[in-house]
Amino acid sequence: MPELPDVQVFKDYLDATALHARIRAAHLASGRLLRKTSGRVLAARLRGRSLVGTRRFVVPHRRAGEPCPRCGAELRANRIGGRTSYCCPRHQRRRR
């Protein structure tokens, strides 16, 4: 499945610079990424550990009308810059 080149570039960068290096600190820009823990707890659990590997996570292809994998709502299609993007109306609301 083709991806944006930036995904592979960033993976290669992590592999070259961060593998097996000790984690001194962790910064989380948004607590919304964590569900049942805090950024402070995550940082404490990561401190002193090391990154042992990276892998690409590929999201399965989506189609309009299919159910959202998180909540089951019907996915919608949007054209952005000549490309089609699929989103859940519950999780990805339009900015006003």
Side-chain angles (χ1 to χ4, degrees):
M1 170 182 230
E3 294 185 38
L4 295 173
D6 295 346
V7 173
Q8 186 63 41
V9 169
F10 189 70
K11 181 193 178 308
D12 293 344
Y13 172 76
L14 281 177
D15 288 345
T17 61
L19 279 183
H20 308 294
R22 292 270 177 218
I23 298 171
R24 293 183 298 232
H27 172 75
L28 185 66
S30 172
R32 294 186 313 166
L33 297 173
L34 303 176
R35 292 195 178 134
K36 295 183 180 183
T37 191
S38 70
R40 188 172 291 161
V41 170
L42 176 66
R45 289 182 180 168
L46 290 175
R47 194 172 300 116
R49 297 190 179 219
S50 62
L51 185 65
V52 295
T54 61
R55 65 182 175 149
R56 292 167 48 182
F57 176 76
V58 178
V59 176
H61 184 70
R62 307 276 186 227
R63 295 199 190 310
E66 289 183 349
C68 169
R70 288 179 60 194
C71 70
E74 188 174 299
L75 295 176
R76 293 185 184 161
N78 298 305
R79 293 288 287 177
I80 302 169
R83 299 187 67 156
T84 304
S85 174
Y86 301 94
C87 68
C88 173
R90 291 184 189 165
H91 297 112
Q92 296 160 314
R93 298 177 191 267
R94 284 186 170 202
R95 292 183 182 187
R96 294 191 183 347

